[in-house]
């Protein structure tokens, strides 16, 4: 809902503790990672390699990152209006959210669905955007 998104945005632009939120955000990654490890452990080596690399591993993270750029720009614009004090953290959150949305958009067009592929390459694409957000946060979110 709009209210919960607003609360998350406000929390990421102010200095409170984010311990329980971090656990909630890590849960989906742990679930998909666990599924991937279970499937890889029970697969033949040739099949496991295909499940991990698919046909588009070399382009998947970069496409996610490119799809995330306009979303990240909008998030930076919105966060600047909130005058964040933790610039690196706010940039990381903006980049992470933009990366997740970019991954969601990319998922509609990607024919890879193995848990190992999604866990590795989608997470890599989201991480690229989150790290770039953290690096750019100090400069872009300054007020």
């Amino acid at each position: 809902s709009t209210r919960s998104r607003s609360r998350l945005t406000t929390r990421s632009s102010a200095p409170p503790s984010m311990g329980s939120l971090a656990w909630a955000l890590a849960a989906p990654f742990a679930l998909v990672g666990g599924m991937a490890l279970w499937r890889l452990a029970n697969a033949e080596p040739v099949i496991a390699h295909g499940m991990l690399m698919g046909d588009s591993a070399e382009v998947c993270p970069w496409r996610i990152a490119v799809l995330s750029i306009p979303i990240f720009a909008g998030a930076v614009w919105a966060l600047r209006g909130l005058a964040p004090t933790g610039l690196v953290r706010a940039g990381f959150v903006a980049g992470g959210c933009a990366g997740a949305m970019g991954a969601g958009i990319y998922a509609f067009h990607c024919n890879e669905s193995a848990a190992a592929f999604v866990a590795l390459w989608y997470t890599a694409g989201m991480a690229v955007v989150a790290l770039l957000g953290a690096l750019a946060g100090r400069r872009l979110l300054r007020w």
Side-chain angles (χ1 to χ4, degrees):
S1 77
T2 305
R3 188 175 195 177
S4 63
R5 282 183 285 189
S6 176
R7 192 175 328 138
L8 179 61
T9 305
T10 303
R11 277 185 162 183
S12 66
S13 63
S17 171
M18 298 194 31
S20 61
L21 181 60
W23 283 107
L25 292 174
F29 291 98
L31 179 66
V32 174
M35 287 173 34
L37 290 174
W38 182 77
R39 294 285 293 160
L40 288 172
N42 293 310
E44 297 292 324
V46 174
I47 294 172
H49 183 268
M51 289 174 17
L52 188 61
M53 298 305 289
D55 293 325
S56 60
E58 63 277 351
V59 296
C60 175
W62 308 115
R63 288 180 178 169
I64 289 171
V66 168
L67 287 169
S68 303
I69 292 171
I71 301 166
F72 177 70
V76 166
W77 177 77
L79 281 173
R80 282 185 64 118
L82 295 172
T85 55
L87 303 180
V88 173
R89 184 182 62 221
F92 181 80
V93 169
C97 289
M101 288 185 221
I105 294 166
Y106 180 71
F108 284 112
H109 304 286
C110 181
N111 61 355
E112 311 284 354
S113 62
F117 184 90
V118 172
L120 180 61
W121 301 111
Y122 279 46
T123 302
M126 291 185 281
V128 165
V129 182
L131 293 175
L132 289 176
L135 292 173
R138 187 174 291 129
R139 174 170 268 178
L140 297 177
L141 298 172
R142 199 175 332 155
W143 45 280

